[in-house]
Amino acid sequence: MFCYQCEQTTRSPAGIGCTSEPGTCGKDEATAGLQDILTHLMKGIAQYARRARAMGVADRRTDDFIFYGLFTTLTNVNFTATRFVHLIQEASKRRERIKLLYEEAAREQGKTPEILSGPALFQPADSLEQLLRQAPSVAINADVEHLGSDVIGARALILYGMKGVAAYAQHARVLGYQSDEVDAQAEEILDYLASNPTDLDEMLEESLEVGRLNLKVMELLDVANTDSFGAQEITSVRISPIQGKAILVSGHDLHDLKQILEQTKDQGINVYTHGEMLPANAYPLLKAYPHLAGNLGGAWQDQQREFADFPGPIVMTSNCIIEPGRSYKNRIFTLGPVGWPGVRHIDNGDFTPVIQAAKALPGFTADAKEQRITIGFGHHTLLGVADKIVDAVKHGDIRHFFLVGGCDGVSPARNYFTEVADNAPADSVVMTLGCGKYRFNKHEFGDIGGIPRLLDIGQCNDAHSAIRVAGALAEAFNCGVNDLPLSIMLSWFEQKATAIHLSLLALGIKGIKLGPTLPAYLTPTLVQKLQSRFDLDLDLIGEAQADLQTALAHT
Ligand code: FSO
Ligand code: SF4
């Protein structure tokens, strides 16, 4: 196996990438290989879908499948090899269907259908054994000896960015939000990858195209969330348990949470959010459920301890799942793209098994001491008080803004982000998003003239909000975003963060500090090219104190 899509990838003097099972995340060789085949088939589907669209045939179910399929291959989403065997079979059928639609449309228009090659023709084997024999030929690094690590790395950057895009697109689609423009562009980019590109400059330009696509998708998801649940509002969320039966819902999918809240109504069960689901507590139509009792626990990497201690069932709606401990394996459930071997999967929207488990388990036997944090600073909230913020900057009360956002993870080097947030001066504001915030979101930050110094913007996809706010501030000060007293420290872990990083780069935002490491697929040549040819900053985090001083020197 070979996988180097996330920050946890093995880096040793002998080379980079998880090359033997299990990968650092727990992925086995079979799952890794099957994910590679599925990803390859998605490119084949896109080859036909793009051409069918050019003939006026846009098939939404095909695009639904592309996004869903790619989402299953993200880091910490699905570890169940058998699910991938089924997905591969389905991908093959869907590719045949869109191929037929394309060929029919071409003939109807008096044109000869193109004979495609590469992923369009790849025939997956029937048995698991044979599939695993095919897998190395479609792995991301299959041609590395021939093409070199720069070409493979540039292809990886595009592909991994697209996986992040797919996850966000899928969250929007389950709420009924889709865009033909997004679907068409996704097909184009995957079709481009299917052509086995080798020109580094062209591929880096295409990776920025992925960033631009991701901006549209994050905006779509923001509209989907806001239309469905109202705009996030400032909310004090309880972060300690109350007595009673309990369900814990983790991941990012607000639609799943809403279904669970609806089905647990009047059942005497409290529903708590976990991890990236925290911002759900700030959406009016979700917090209207009186049994949405708050948020428990922190970021994904702490789940084994937190889930073991939780006295009820746990539901994973998306990443980041890690190997369930024996003490809770029989009371954790997966949904949608998520999977772990031997863990119960709910695919029909009926949460009866979860409710039954909640009733059978003890729940919390007493109220814990009340603890709260304040969240809900999406762009609607922040733009609603933009005048106040602009005045505070003009009067010198706010000297600097720090956006300390992104993912968390196990690496101790991630303490950098805590250090930056904690040591940001009293006349600065820290905006945050993603699960990296759990390292510092219970610390005391105080306020500046009533504006809290720590502003939790939401999930990682709410980077869209941060971009809107930065744009509005730039407008108010009649300058560019790069001229604002704003520093961005971005912690990355998996492919959604890659998509966000590409979005920020595509917007031409300078001075982003990325950490705790640079992605392994970004070779020195690619970094150098992004810096020189595209005039982009690709800076690794340094020492927190030194980076803070440098940032403030530009205030
Ligand atoms: Fe975190 Fe996991 Fe939002 Fe990621 S829970 S790491 S980028 O999936 O999604 O920040
Ligand atoms: Fe390794 Fe990350 Fe791939 Fe898992 S997802 S196998 S940790 S690179």
Side-chain angles (χ1 to χ4, degrees), residues 274-297:
H274 175 267
E276 276 276 66
M277 200 60 90
L278 164 64
N281 293 277
Y283 285 90
L285 296 187
L286 294 174
K287 71 181 192 181
Y289 289 93
H291 60 303
L292 179 59
N295 186 81
L296 296 180

PDB file of all heavy atoms in Angstrom, residues 274-297:
ATOM      1  N   HIS A 274     -20.333  16.457  19.637  1.00  0.00           N
ATOM      2  CA  HIS A 274     -18.930  16.158  19.924  1.00  0.00           C
ATOM      3  C   HIS A 274     -18.093  16.638  18.737  1.00  0.00           C
ATOM      4  O   HIS A 274     -18.553  16.618  17.598  1.00  0.00           O
ATOM      5  CB  HIS A 274     -18.751  14.635  20.109  1.00  0.00           C
ATOM      6  CG  HIS A 274     -17.320  14.225  20.279  1.00  0.00           C
ATOM      7  ND1 HIS A 274     -16.517  13.840  19.227  1.00  0.00           N
ATOM      8  CD2 HIS A 274     -16.536  14.165  21.391  1.00  0.00           C
ATOM      9  CE1 HIS A 274     -15.305  13.544  19.675  1.00  0.00           C
ATOM     10  NE2 HIS A 274     -15.286  13.741  20.982  1.00  0.00           N
ATOM     11  N   GLY A 275     -16.859  17.041  19.017  1.00  0.00           N
ATOM     12  CA  GLY A 275     -15.930  17.395  17.944  1.00  0.00           C
ATOM     13  C   GLY A 275     -16.466  18.517  17.074  1.00  0.00           C
ATOM     14  O   GLY A 275     -16.949  19.537  17.559  1.00  0.00           O
ATOM     15  N   GLU A 276     -16.386  18.294  15.753  1.00  0.00           N
ATOM     16  CA  GLU A 276     -16.775  19.331  14.805  1.00  0.00           C
ATOM     17  C   GLU A 276     -18.284  19.617  14.786  1.00  0.00           C
ATOM     18  O   GLU A 276     -18.735  20.509  14.084  1.00  0.00           O
ATOM     19  CB  GLU A 276     -16.320  18.919  13.399  1.00  0.00           C
ATOM     20  CG  GLU A 276     -14.882  19.277  13.108  1.00  0.00           C
ATOM     21  CD  GLU A 276     -14.764  20.719  12.644  1.00  0.00           C
ATOM     22  OE1 GLU A 276     -15.046  21.626  13.457  1.00  0.00           O
ATOM     23  OE2 GLU A 276     -14.396  20.927  11.493  1.00  0.00           O
ATOM     24  N   MET A 277     -19.059  18.871  15.554  1.00  0.00           N
ATOM     25  CA  MET A 277     -20.499  19.114  15.603  1.00  0.00           C
ATOM     26  C   MET A 277     -20.841  20.261  16.573  1.00  0.00           C
ATOM     27  O   MET A 277     -21.975  20.727  16.611  1.00  0.00           O
ATOM     28  CB  MET A 277     -21.216  17.821  16.013  1.00  0.00           C
ATOM     29  CG  MET A 277     -22.674  17.759  15.664  1.00  0.00           C
ATOM     30  SD  MET A 277     -23.012  17.906  13.915  1.00  0.00           S
ATOM     31  CE  MET A 277     -22.959  16.206  13.408  1.00  0.00           C
ATOM     32  N   LEU A 278     -19.855  20.723  17.332  1.00  0.00           N
ATOM     33  CA  LEU A 278     -20.105  21.802  18.307  1.00  0.00           C
ATOM     34  C   LEU A 278     -20.897  22.987  17.741  1.00  0.00           C
ATOM     35  O   LEU A 278     -21.867  23.441  18.361  1.00  0.00           O
ATOM     36  CB  LEU A 278     -18.749  22.266  18.896  1.00  0.00           C
ATOM     37  CG  LEU A 278     -18.697  23.603  19.632  1.00  0.00           C
ATOM     38  CD1 LEU A 278     -19.551  23.597  20.889  1.00  0.00           C
ATOM     39  CD2 LEU A 278     -17.240  23.966  20.002  1.00  0.00           C
ATOM     40  N   PRO A 279     -20.524  23.519  16.552  1.00  0.00           N
ATOM     41  CA  PRO A 279     -21.241  24.713  16.068  1.00  0.00           C
ATOM     42  C   PRO A 279     -22.739  24.494  15.858  1.00  0.00           C
ATOM     43  O   PRO A 279     -23.498  25.467  15.784  1.00  0.00           O
ATOM     44  CB  PRO A 279     -20.549  25.025  14.733  1.00  0.00           C
ATOM     45  CG  PRO A 279     -19.194  24.406  14.859  1.00  0.00           C
ATOM     46  CD  PRO A 279     -19.401  23.163  15.669  1.00  0.00           C
ATOM     47  N   ALA A 280     -23.187  23.239  15.785  1.00  0.00           N
ATOM     48  CA  ALA A 280     -24.624  22.969  15.612  1.00  0.00           C
ATOM     49  C   ALA A 280     -25.435  23.657  16.704  1.00  0.00           C
ATOM     50  O   ALA A 280     -26.569  24.097  16.473  1.00  0.00           O
ATOM     51  CB  ALA A 280     -24.880  21.465  15.651  1.00  0.00           C
ATOM     52  N   ASN A 281     -24.850  23.789  17.883  1.00  0.00           N
ATOM     53  CA  ASN A 281     -25.565  24.394  19.015  1.00  0.00           C
ATOM     54  C   ASN A 281     -25.901  25.874  18.790  1.00  0.00           C
ATOM     55  O   ASN A 281     -26.647  26.457  19.566  1.00  0.00           O
ATOM     56  CB  ASN A 281     -24.723  24.263  20.295  1.00  0.00           C
ATOM     57  CG  ASN A 281     -24.589  22.817  20.738  1.00  0.00           C
ATOM     58  OD1 ASN A 281     -25.471  22.287  21.398  1.00  0.00           O
ATOM     59  ND2 ASN A 281     -23.489  22.165  20.353  1.00  0.00           N
ATOM     60  N   ALA A 282     -25.289  26.473  17.752  1.00  0.00           N
ATOM     61  CA  ALA A 282     -25.528  27.895  17.506  1.00  0.00           C
ATOM     62  C   ALA A 282     -26.578  28.136  16.426  1.00  0.00           C
ATOM     63  O   ALA A 282     -26.935  29.281  16.157  1.00  0.00           O
ATOM     64  CB  ALA A 282     -24.214  28.570  17.110  1.00  0.00           C
ATOM     65  N   TYR A 283     -27.058  27.083  15.769  1.00  0.00           N
ATOM     66  CA  TYR A 283     -28.056  27.250  14.703  1.00  0.00           C
ATOM     67  C   TYR A 283     -29.465  27.245  15.323  1.00  0.00           C
ATOM     68  O   TYR A 283     -29.853  26.268  15.980  1.00  0.00           O
ATOM     69  CB  TYR A 283     -27.932  26.128  13.665  1.00  0.00           C
ATOM     70  CG  TYR A 283     -26.744  26.295  12.743  1.00  0.00           C
ATOM     71  CD1 TYR A 283     -25.501  25.741  13.066  1.00  0.00           C
ATOM     72  CD2 TYR A 283     -26.849  27.028  11.562  1.00  0.00           C
ATOM     73  CE1 TYR A 283     -24.405  25.902  12.234  1.00  0.00           C
ATOM     74  CE2 TYR A 283     -25.749  27.194  10.716  1.00  0.00           C
ATOM     75  CZ  TYR A 283     -24.538  26.627  11.058  1.00  0.00           C
ATOM     76  OH  TYR A 283     -23.450  26.798  10.233  1.00  0.00           O
ATOM     77  N   PRO A 284     -30.240  28.322  15.092  1.00  0.00           N
ATOM     78  CA  PRO A 284     -31.539  28.471  15.775  1.00  0.00           C
ATOM     79  C   PRO A 284     -32.442  27.244  15.659  1.00  0.00           C
ATOM     80  O   PRO A 284     -33.051  26.836  16.648  1.00  0.00           O
ATOM     81  CB  PRO A 284     -32.166  29.684  15.073  1.00  0.00           C
ATOM     82  CG  PRO A 284     -31.031  30.430  14.499  1.00  0.00           C
ATOM     83  CD  PRO A 284     -29.926  29.465  14.226  1.00  0.00           C
ATOM     84  N   LEU A 285     -32.543  26.666  14.459  1.00  0.00           N
ATOM     85  CA  LEU A 285     -33.504  25.577  14.307  1.00  0.00           C
ATOM     86  C   LEU A 285     -32.980  24.251  14.870  1.00  0.00           C
ATOM     87  O   LEU A 285     -33.725  23.279  14.965  1.00  0.00           O
ATOM     88  CB  LEU A 285     -33.910  25.407  12.838  1.00  0.00           C
ATOM     89  CG  LEU A 285     -34.646  26.607  12.236  1.00  0.00           C
ATOM     90  CD1 LEU A 285     -35.167  26.292  10.840  1.00  0.00           C
ATOM     91  CD2 LEU A 285     -35.813  27.057  13.125  1.00  0.00           C
ATOM     92  N   LEU A 286     -31.727  24.207  15.241  1.00  0.00           N
ATOM     93  CA  LEU A 286     -31.216  23.012  15.939  1.00  0.00           C
ATOM     94  C   LEU A 286     -31.277  23.245  17.448  1.00  0.00           C
ATOM     95  O   LEU A 286     -31.715  22.382  18.208  1.00  0.00           O
ATOM     96  CB  LEU A 286     -29.789  22.687  15.485  1.00  0.00           C
ATOM     97  CG  LEU A 286     -29.664  22.258  14.009  1.00  0.00           C
ATOM     98  CD1 LEU A 286     -28.197  22.105  13.603  1.00  0.00           C
ATOM     99  CD2 LEU A 286     -30.400  20.941  13.761  1.00  0.00           C
ATOM    100  N   LYS A 287     -30.866  24.442  17.864  1.00  0.00           N
ATOM    101  CA  LYS A 287     -30.882  24.670  19.321  1.00  0.00           C
ATOM    102  C   LYS A 287     -32.301  24.811  19.861  1.00  0.00           C
ATOM    103  O   LYS A 287     -32.512  24.791  21.078  1.00  0.00           O
ATOM    104  CB  LYS A 287     -29.985  25.840  19.715  1.00  0.00           C
ATOM    105  CG  LYS A 287     -30.445  27.216  19.336  1.00  0.00           C
ATOM    106  CD  LYS A 287     -29.373  28.205  19.819  1.00  0.00           C
ATOM    107  CE  LYS A 287     -29.887  29.622  19.734  1.00  0.00           C
ATOM    108  NZ  LYS A 287     -28.925  30.613  20.157  1.00  0.00           N
ATOM    109  N   ALA A 288     -33.273  24.919  18.957  1.00  0.00           N
ATOM    110  CA  ALA A 288     -34.670  24.978  19.398  1.00  0.00           C
ATOM    111  C   ALA A 288     -35.109  23.653  20.027  1.00  0.00           C
ATOM    112  O   ALA A 288     -36.099  23.603  20.758  1.00  0.00           O
ATOM    113  CB  ALA A 288     -35.567  25.310  18.214  1.00  0.00           C
ATOM    114  N   TYR A 289     -34.397  22.589  19.716  1.00  0.00           N
ATOM    115  CA  TYR A 289     -34.733  21.304  20.348  1.00  0.00           C
ATOM    116  C   TYR A 289     -34.255  21.340  21.799  1.00  0.00           C
ATOM    117  O   TYR A 289     -33.040  21.427  22.050  1.00  0.00           O
ATOM    118  CB  TYR A 289     -34.051  20.134  19.624  1.00  0.00           C
ATOM    119  CG  TYR A 289     -34.633  19.845  18.263  1.00  0.00           C
ATOM    120  CD1 TYR A 289     -34.102  20.415  17.117  1.00  0.00           C
ATOM    121  CD2 TYR A 289     -35.728  18.993  18.124  1.00  0.00           C
ATOM    122  CE1 TYR A 289     -34.639  20.152  15.857  1.00  0.00           C
ATOM    123  CE2 TYR A 289     -36.272  18.721  16.866  1.00  0.00           C
ATOM    124  CZ  TYR A 289     -35.720  19.301  15.747  1.00  0.00           C
ATOM    125  OH  TYR A 289     -36.262  19.036  14.517  1.00  0.00           O
ATOM    126  N   PRO A 290     -35.178  21.269  22.752  1.00  0.00           N
ATOM    127  CA  PRO A 290     -34.747  21.422  24.152  1.00  0.00           C
ATOM    128  C   PRO A 290     -33.823  20.303  24.612  1.00  0.00           C
ATOM    129  O   PRO A 290     -33.068  20.478  25.570  1.00  0.00           O
ATOM    130  CB  PRO A 290     -36.070  21.396  24.932  1.00  0.00           C
ATOM    131  CG  PRO A 290     -37.087  20.839  24.002  1.00  0.00           C
ATOM    132  CD  PRO A 290     -36.620  21.084  22.614  1.00  0.00           C
ATOM    133  N   HIS A 291     -33.852  19.158  23.919  1.00  0.00           N
ATOM    134  CA  HIS A 291     -32.985  18.054  24.363  1.00  0.00           C
ATOM    135  C   HIS A 291     -31.616  18.074  23.677  1.00  0.00           C
ATOM    136  O   HIS A 291     -30.830  17.145  23.848  1.00  0.00           O
ATOM    137  CB  HIS A 291     -33.681  16.698  24.180  1.00  0.00           C
ATOM    138  CG  HIS A 291     -34.070  16.373  22.772  1.00  0.00           C
ATOM    139  ND1 HIS A 291     -34.885  17.160  22.007  1.00  0.00           N
ATOM    140  CD2 HIS A 291     -33.747  15.313  21.996  1.00  0.00           C
ATOM    141  CE1 HIS A 291     -35.058  16.611  20.820  1.00  0.00           C
ATOM    142  NE2 HIS A 291     -34.370  15.482  20.787  1.00  0.00           N
ATOM    143  N   LEU A 292     -31.321  19.132  22.890  1.00  0.00           N
ATOM    144  CA  LEU A 292     -29.933  19.328  22.449  1.00  0.00           C
ATOM    145  C   LEU A 292     -29.229  19.954  23.656  1.00  0.00           C
ATOM    146  O   LEU A 292     -29.382  21.142  23.949  1.00  0.00           O
ATOM    147  CB  LEU A 292     -29.862  20.241  21.218  1.00  0.00           C
ATOM    148  CG  LEU A 292     -28.450  20.533  20.696  1.00  0.00           C
ATOM    149  CD1 LEU A 292     -27.703  19.258  20.297  1.00  0.00           C
ATOM    150  CD2 LEU A 292     -28.473  21.490  19.508  1.00  0.00           C
ATOM    151  N   ALA A 293     -28.491  19.111  24.376  1.00  0.00           N
ATOM    152  CA  ALA A 293     -28.084  19.493  25.732  1.00  0.00           C
ATOM    153  C   ALA A 293     -26.720  20.162  25.811  1.00  0.00           C
ATOM    154  O   ALA A 293     -26.313  20.605  26.880  1.00  0.00           O
ATOM    155  CB  ALA A 293     -28.095  18.253  26.625  1.00  0.00           C
ATOM    156  N   GLY A 294     -25.995  20.227  24.678  1.00  0.00           N
ATOM    157  CA  GLY A 294     -24.690  20.870  24.716  1.00  0.00           C
ATOM    158  C   GLY A 294     -23.639  20.044  24.023  1.00  0.00           C
ATOM    159  O   GLY A 294     -23.959  19.152  23.218  1.00  0.00           O
ATOM    160  N   ASN A 295     -22.393  20.346  24.315  1.00  0.00           N
ATOM    161  CA  ASN A 295     -21.261  19.668  23.665  1.00  0.00           C
ATOM    162  C   ASN A 295     -20.382  19.024  24.729  1.00  0.00           C
ATOM    163  O   ASN A 295     -20.120  19.629  25.772  1.00  0.00           O
ATOM    164  CB  ASN A 295     -20.423  20.690  22.885  1.00  0.00           C
ATOM    165  CG  ASN A 295     -19.321  20.040  22.065  1.00  0.00           C
ATOM    166  OD1 ASN A 295     -19.569  19.545  20.965  1.00  0.00           O
ATOM    167  ND2 ASN A 295     -18.100  20.027  22.585  1.00  0.00           N
ATOM    168  N   LEU A 296     -19.944  17.810  24.457  1.00  0.00           N
ATOM    169  CA  LEU A 296     -19.040  17.146  25.404  1.00  0.00           C
ATOM    170  C   LEU A 296     -17.776  16.712  24.685  1.00  0.00           C
ATOM    171  O   LEU A 296     -17.822  16.234  23.549  1.00  0.00           O
ATOM    172  CB  LEU A 296     -19.716  15.906  26.008  1.00  0.00           C
ATOM    173  CG  LEU A 296     -20.967  16.171  26.863  1.00  0.00           C
ATOM    174  CD1 LEU A 296     -21.523  14.859  27.405  1.00  0.00           C
ATOM    175  CD2 LEU A 296     -20.662  17.125  28.027  1.00  0.00           C
ATOM    176  N   GLY A 297     -16.648  16.863  25.368  1.00  0.00           N
ATOM    177  CA  GLY A 297     -15.390  16.372  24.818  1.00  0.00           C
ATOM    178  C   GLY A 297     -14.716  17.391  23.935  1.00  0.00           C
ATOM    179  O   GLY A 297     -15.145  18.544  23.830  1.00  0.00           O
TER     180      GLY A 297
END
